[in-house]
Amino acid sequence: MLPAERRRRIAAEVAARPSVKTEELADLFSVSGETIRRDLLRLQSDGLVERVHGGATPAERPRAVEDSYARRRALNVAGKQAMARAAVSLLRPGDTVIFDVGTSVAEIARAIPVTWTGRVLTNSLPVGAELADRPGIEVLVSGGRTRSGDLALAGGQTVAFFADYYADLAFLGSGGVHPAAGLTDFHSDEVDVRRVMLDHSTRCYAIADATKLGVIAARHVCALDRLTGLVSDGTPDEGLAEALATAGVRLVGPHDTGHAEADAS
């Protein structure tokens, strides 16, 4: 096992328990205690664990708190528009594409070129309304219970809708992206929907602006290695960048659209 992969798994082990002993980790990964201590030093410097005598405990992690819809819609508009321009370069003609909920995902819908043709599946009423008059796009909106503000649809009916389709590409909303916790979000029933989207899409890109990098929302969605890529206007810190690279997650954004173009080619 490569050191980066071992450290990622150590971080996950520590995050899952109140405390872990060095000897336990050494036995688990079949390495020396000294190797584990070096790994824990590195993870502590990355802010992922807190070293204690004889082992480690989970670090105090920045927890995301969701702002109101009105505030989120008004914040970082330029950054979201730049992310949207990068994201639409992932579209291929004729794709079936899932658009999840959230202000950043809705911005991607607004940025779709008028020449693109394909099918859109969404549980976002704003996305459905944005694309409803586009002659080259077939828009299918799930049913379900509507959450105010974002006008997001969720619940059993929504899960059943997405279980009936297979998509080429999915744009997934997020509450936070963290090296140990992976992709997380706030609304439990929407997480259930998102997991079906993951299972039924060939390529899955999480959408997270700079404020969501390194933070954790209330509920786990998936590990980083379930994602094809991350679209963001921010630059991940060293710990998150290493975790993304180890998981094989492509970073796409206004700072580097080359990955998006390569993926779409």
Side-chain angles (χ1 to χ4, degrees), residues 96-111:
T96 294
V97 184
I98 289 174
F99 279 76
D100 194 9
V101 301
T103 58
S104 295
V105 175
E107 202 64 56
I108 298 172
R110 296 184 188 99

mmCIF file with all atom_site columns, all heavy atoms in Angstrom, residues 96-111:
data_model
loop_
_atom_site.group_PDB
_atom_site.id
_atom_site.type_symbol
_atom_site.label_atom_id
_atom_site.label_alt_id
_atom_site.label_comp_id
_atom_site.label_asym_id
_atom_site.label_entity_id
_atom_site.label_seq_id
_atom_site.pdbx_PDB_ins_code
_atom_site.Cartn_x
_atom_site.Cartn_y
_atom_site.Cartn_z
_atom_site.occupancy
_atom_site.B_iso_or_equiv
_atom_site.pdbx_formal_charge
_atom_site.auth_seq_id
_atom_site.auth_comp_id
_atom_site.auth_asym_id
_atom_site.auth_atom_id
_atom_site.pdbx_PDB_model_num
ATOM 1   N N   . THR A 1 96  ? -27.449 11.879 -21.401 1.00 0.00 ? 96  THR A N   1
ATOM 2   C CA  . THR A 1 96  ? -28.460 11.976 -20.362 1.00 0.00 ? 96  THR A CA  1
ATOM 3   C C   . THR A 1 96  ? -27.756 12.451 -19.106 1.00 0.00 ? 96  THR A C   1
ATOM 4   O O   . THR A 1 96  ? -26.823 11.793 -18.626 1.00 0.00 ? 96  THR A O   1
ATOM 5   C CB  . THR A 1 96  ? -29.138 10.626 -20.109 1.00 0.00 ? 96  THR A CB  1
ATOM 6   O OG1 . THR A 1 96  ? -29.885 10.255 -21.277 1.00 0.00 ? 96  THR A OG1 1
ATOM 7   C CG2 . THR A 1 96  ? -30.088 10.697 -18.922 1.00 0.00 ? 96  THR A CG2 1
ATOM 8   N N   . VAL A 1 97  ? -28.173 13.608 -18.573 1.00 0.00 ? 97  VAL A N   1
ATOM 9   C CA  . VAL A 1 97  ? -27.436 14.269 -17.496 1.00 0.00 ? 97  VAL A CA  1
ATOM 10  C C   . VAL A 1 97  ? -28.353 14.508 -16.301 1.00 0.00 ? 97  VAL A C   1
ATOM 11  O O   . VAL A 1 97  ? -29.467 15.031 -16.453 1.00 0.00 ? 97  VAL A O   1
ATOM 12  C CB  . VAL A 1 97  ? -26.853 15.624 -17.969 1.00 0.00 ? 97  VAL A CB  1
ATOM 13  C CG1 . VAL A 1 97  ? -26.016 16.255 -16.860 1.00 0.00 ? 97  VAL A CG1 1
ATOM 14  C CG2 . VAL A 1 97  ? -26.008 15.420 -19.220 1.00 0.00 ? 97  VAL A CG2 1
ATOM 15  N N   . ILE A 1 98  ? -27.874 14.132 -15.118 1.00 0.00 ? 98  ILE A N   1
ATOM 16  C CA  . ILE A 1 98  ? -28.589 14.414 -13.877 1.00 0.00 ? 98  ILE A CA  1
ATOM 17  C C   . ILE A 1 98  ? -28.125 15.754 -13.319 1.00 0.00 ? 98  ILE A C   1
ATOM 18  O O   . ILE A 1 98  ? -26.915 15.989 -13.185 1.00 0.00 ? 98  ILE A O   1
ATOM 19  C CB  . ILE A 1 98  ? -28.357 13.302 -12.842 1.00 0.00 ? 98  ILE A CB  1
ATOM 20  C CG1 . ILE A 1 98  ? -29.085 12.024 -13.263 1.00 0.00 ? 98  ILE A CG1 1
ATOM 21  C CG2 . ILE A 1 98  ? -28.812 13.740 -11.451 1.00 0.00 ? 98  ILE A CG2 1
ATOM 22  C CD1 . ILE A 1 98  ? -28.795 10.831 -12.376 1.00 0.00 ? 98  ILE A CD1 1
ATOM 23  N N   . PHE A 1 99  ? -29.082 16.610 -13.008 1.00 0.00 ? 99  PHE A N   1
ATOM 24  C CA  . PHE A 1 99  ? -28.813 17.862 -12.315 1.00 0.00 ? 99  PHE A CA  1
ATOM 25  C C   . PHE A 1 99  ? -29.440 17.760 -10.923 1.00 0.00 ? 99  PHE A C   1
ATOM 26  O O   . PHE A 1 99  ? -30.660 17.726 -10.786 1.00 0.00 ? 99  PHE A O   1
ATOM 27  C CB  . PHE A 1 99  ? -29.406 19.053 -13.068 1.00 0.00 ? 99  PHE A CB  1
ATOM 28  C CG  . PHE A 1 99  ? -28.570 19.533 -14.215 1.00 0.00 ? 99  PHE A CG  1
ATOM 29  C CD1 . PHE A 1 99  ? -28.550 18.823 -15.404 1.00 0.00 ? 99  PHE A CD1 1
ATOM 30  C CD2 . PHE A 1 99  ? -27.800 20.672 -14.115 1.00 0.00 ? 99  PHE A CD2 1
ATOM 31  C CE1 . PHE A 1 99  ? -27.783 19.242 -16.474 1.00 0.00 ? 99  PHE A CE1 1
ATOM 32  C CE2 . PHE A 1 99  ? -27.021 21.105 -15.175 1.00 0.00 ? 99  PHE A CE2 1
ATOM 33  C CZ  . PHE A 1 99  ? -27.006 20.397 -16.365 1.00 0.00 ? 99  PHE A CZ  1
ATOM 34  N N   . ASP A 1 100 ? -28.594 17.736 -9.913  1.00 0.00 ? 100 ASP A N   1
ATOM 35  C CA  . ASP A 1 100 ? -29.025 17.684 -8.530  1.00 0.00 ? 100 ASP A CA  1
ATOM 36  C C   . ASP A 1 100 ? -29.480 19.092 -8.100  1.00 0.00 ? 100 ASP A C   1
ATOM 37  O O   . ASP A 1 100 ? -29.622 19.995 -8.926  1.00 0.00 ? 100 ASP A O   1
ATOM 38  C CB  . ASP A 1 100 ? -27.843 17.186 -7.690  1.00 0.00 ? 100 ASP A CB  1
ATOM 39  C CG  . ASP A 1 100 ? -28.212 16.758 -6.296  1.00 0.00 ? 100 ASP A CG  1
ATOM 40  O OD1 . ASP A 1 100 ? -29.419 16.678 -5.983  1.00 0.00 ? 100 ASP A OD1 1
ATOM 41  O OD2 . ASP A 1 100 ? -27.290 16.522 -5.490  1.00 0.00 ? 100 ASP A OD2 1
ATOM 42  N N   . VAL A 1 101 ? -29.675 19.280 -6.820  1.00 0.00 ? 101 VAL A N   1
ATOM 43  C CA  . VAL A 1 101 ? -30.184 20.547 -6.300  1.00 0.00 ? 101 VAL A CA  1
ATOM 44  C C   . VAL A 1 101 ? -29.033 21.453 -5.857  1.00 0.00 ? 101 VAL A C   1
ATOM 45  O O   . VAL A 1 101 ? -27.897 21.015 -5.692  1.00 0.00 ? 101 VAL A O   1
ATOM 46  C CB  . VAL A 1 101 ? -31.144 20.302 -5.123  1.00 0.00 ? 101 VAL A CB  1
ATOM 47  C CG1 . VAL A 1 101 ? -32.294 19.433 -5.577  1.00 0.00 ? 101 VAL A CG1 1
ATOM 48  C CG2 . VAL A 1 101 ? -30.422 19.642 -3.946  1.00 0.00 ? 101 VAL A CG2 1
ATOM 49  N N   . GLY A 1 102 ? -29.355 22.730 -5.646  1.00 0.00 ? 102 GLY A N   1
ATOM 50  C CA  . GLY A 1 102 ? -28.382 23.686 -5.126  1.00 0.00 ? 102 GLY A CA  1
ATOM 51  C C   . GLY A 1 102 ? -28.157 24.850 -6.067  1.00 0.00 ? 102 GLY A C   1
ATOM 52  O O   . GLY A 1 102 ? -28.384 24.753 -7.278  1.00 0.00 ? 102 GLY A O   1
ATOM 53  N N   . THR A 1 103 ? -27.686 25.954 -5.495  1.00 0.00 ? 103 THR A N   1
ATOM 54  C CA  . THR A 1 103 ? -27.504 27.171 -6.288  1.00 0.00 ? 103 THR A CA  1
ATOM 55  C C   . THR A 1 103 ? -26.393 27.021 -7.323  1.00 0.00 ? 103 THR A C   1
ATOM 56  O O   . THR A 1 103 ? -26.491 27.564 -8.422  1.00 0.00 ? 103 THR A O   1
ATOM 57  C CB  . THR A 1 103 ? -27.204 28.363 -5.363  1.00 0.00 ? 103 THR A CB  1
ATOM 58  O OG1 . THR A 1 103 ? -26.036 28.084 -4.580  1.00 0.00 ? 103 THR A OG1 1
ATOM 59  C CG2 . THR A 1 103 ? -28.379 28.644 -4.439  1.00 0.00 ? 103 THR A CG2 1
ATOM 60  N N   . SER A 1 104 ? -25.327 26.293 -6.989  1.00 0.00 ? 104 SER A N   1
ATOM 61  C CA  . SER A 1 104 ? -24.226 26.112 -7.946  1.00 0.00 ? 104 SER A CA  1
ATOM 62  C C   . SER A 1 104 ? -24.642 25.220 -9.105  1.00 0.00 ? 104 SER A C   1
ATOM 63  O O   . SER A 1 104 ? -24.272 25.468 -10.260 1.00 0.00 ? 104 SER A O   1
ATOM 64  C CB  . SER A 1 104 ? -23.001 25.517 -7.238  1.00 0.00 ? 104 SER A CB  1
ATOM 65  O OG  . SER A 1 104 ? -22.486 26.411 -6.277  1.00 0.00 ? 104 SER A OG  1
ATOM 66  N N   . VAL A 1 105 ? -25.408 24.166 -8.812  1.00 0.00 ? 105 VAL A N   1
ATOM 67  C CA  . VAL A 1 105 ? -25.886 23.283 -9.882  1.00 0.00 ? 105 VAL A CA  1
ATOM 68  C C   . VAL A 1 105 ? -26.844 24.041 -10.798 1.00 0.00 ? 105 VAL A C   1
ATOM 69  O O   . VAL A 1 105 ? -26.794 23.894 -12.029 1.00 0.00 ? 105 VAL A O   1
ATOM 70  C CB  . VAL A 1 105 ? -26.562 22.038 -9.279  1.00 0.00 ? 105 VAL A CB  1
ATOM 71  C CG1 . VAL A 1 105 ? -27.174 21.183 -10.384 1.00 0.00 ? 105 VAL A CG1 1
ATOM 72  C CG2 . VAL A 1 105 ? -25.554 21.205 -8.484  1.00 0.00 ? 105 VAL A CG2 1
ATOM 73  N N   . ALA A 1 106 ? -27.715 24.865 -10.230 1.00 0.00 ? 106 ALA A N   1
ATOM 74  C CA  . ALA A 1 106 ? -28.629 25.652 -11.058 1.00 0.00 ? 106 ALA A CA  1
ATOM 75  C C   . ALA A 1 106 ? -27.862 26.598 -11.978 1.00 0.00 ? 106 ALA A C   1
ATOM 76  O O   . ALA A 1 106 ? -28.294 26.858 -13.114 1.00 0.00 ? 106 ALA A O   1
ATOM 77  C CB  . ALA A 1 106 ? -29.583 26.446 -10.169 1.00 0.00 ? 106 ALA A CB  1
ATOM 78  N N   . GLU A 1 107 ? -26.723 27.099 -11.511 1.00 0.00 ? 107 GLU A N   1
ATOM 79  C CA  . GLU A 1 107 ? -25.916 27.990 -12.346 1.00 0.00 ? 107 GLU A CA  1
ATOM 80  C C   . GLU A 1 107 ? -25.363 27.240 -13.558 1.00 0.00 ? 107 GLU A C   1
ATOM 81  O O   . GLU A 1 107 ? -25.215 27.817 -14.648 1.00 0.00 ? 107 GLU A O   1
ATOM 82  C CB  . GLU A 1 107 ? -24.773 28.569 -11.514 1.00 0.00 ? 107 GLU A CB  1
ATOM 83  C CG  . GLU A 1 107 ? -24.183 29.851 -12.054 1.00 0.00 ? 107 GLU A CG  1
ATOM 84  C CD  . GLU A 1 107 ? -25.179 31.001 -12.071 1.00 0.00 ? 107 GLU A CD  1
ATOM 85  O OE1 . GLU A 1 107 ? -25.747 31.328 -11.021 1.00 0.00 ? 107 GLU A OE1 1
ATOM 86  O OE2 . GLU A 1 107 ? -25.391 31.576 -13.177 1.00 0.00 ? 107 GLU A OE2 1
ATOM 87  N N   . ILE A 1 108 ? -25.063 25.950 -13.395 1.00 0.00 ? 108 ILE A N   1
ATOM 88  C CA  . ILE A 1 108 ? -24.596 25.149 -14.533 1.00 0.00 ? 108 ILE A CA  1
ATOM 89  C C   . ILE A 1 108 ? -25.692 25.045 -15.586 1.00 0.00 ? 108 ILE A C   1
ATOM 90  O O   . ILE A 1 108 ? -25.431 25.150 -16.787 1.00 0.00 ? 108 ILE A O   1
ATOM 91  C CB  . ILE A 1 108 ? -24.148 23.749 -14.063 1.00 0.00 ? 108 ILE A CB  1
ATOM 92  C CG1 . ILE A 1 108 ? -22.975 23.854 -13.086 1.00 0.00 ? 108 ILE A CG1 1
ATOM 93  C CG2 . ILE A 1 108 ? -23.746 22.886 -15.265 1.00 0.00 ? 108 ILE A CG2 1
ATOM 94  C CD1 . ILE A 1 108 ? -22.596 22.538 -12.431 1.00 0.00 ? 108 ILE A CD1 1
ATOM 95  N N   . ALA A 1 109 ? -26.929 24.837 -15.153 1.00 0.00 ? 109 ALA A N   1
ATOM 96  C CA  . ALA A 1 109 ? -28.040 24.763 -16.105 1.00 0.00 ? 109 ALA A CA  1
ATOM 97  C C   . ALA A 1 109 ? -28.140 26.050 -16.920 1.00 0.00 ? 109 ALA A C   1
ATOM 98  O O   . ALA A 1 109 ? -28.387 26.012 -18.136 1.00 0.00 ? 109 ALA A O   1
ATOM 99  C CB  . ALA A 1 109 ? -29.340 24.493 -15.361 1.00 0.00 ? 109 ALA A CB  1
ATOM 100 N N   . ARG A 1 110 ? -27.941 27.187 -16.268 1.00 0.00 ? 110 ARG A N   1
ATOM 101 C CA  . ARG A 1 110 ? -28.023 28.475 -16.977 1.00 0.00 ? 110 ARG A CA  1
ATOM 102 C C   . ARG A 1 110 ? -26.899 28.623 -18.000 1.00 0.00 ? 110 ARG A C   1
ATOM 103 O O   . ARG A 1 110 ? -27.041 29.360 -18.979 1.00 0.00 ? 110 ARG A O   1
ATOM 104 C CB  . ARG A 1 110 ? -27.963 29.628 -15.987 1.00 0.00 ? 110 ARG A CB  1
ATOM 105 C CG  . ARG A 1 110 ? -29.136 29.674 -15.022 1.00 0.00 ? 110 ARG A CG  1
ATOM 106 C CD  . ARG A 1 110 ? -29.096 30.895 -14.123 1.00 0.00 ? 110 ARG A CD  1
ATOM 107 N NE  . ARG A 1 110 ? -30.127 30.792 -13.098 1.00 0.00 ? 110 ARG A NE  1
ATOM 108 C CZ  . ARG A 1 110 ? -29.900 30.386 -11.852 1.00 0.00 ? 110 ARG A CZ  1
ATOM 109 N NH1 . ARG A 1 110 ? -28.663 30.087 -11.465 1.00 0.00 ? 110 ARG A NH1 1
ATOM 110 N NH2 . ARG A 1 110 ? -30.894 30.281 -10.992 1.00 0.00 ? 110 ARG A NH2 1
ATOM 111 N N   . ALA A 1 111 ? -25.771 27.931 -17.776 1.00 0.00 ? 111 ALA A N   1
ATOM 112 C CA  . ALA A 1 111 ? -24.595 28.095 -18.637 1.00 0.00 ? 111 ALA A CA  1
ATOM 113 C C   . ALA A 1 111 ? -24.562 27.118 -19.805 1.00 0.00 ? 111 ALA A C   1
ATOM 114 O O   . ALA A 1 111 ? -23.655 27.188 -20.630 1.00 0.00 ? 111 ALA A O   1
ATOM 115 C CB  . ALA A 1 111 ? -23.327 27.931 -17.798 1.00 0.00 ? 111 ALA A CB  1
#
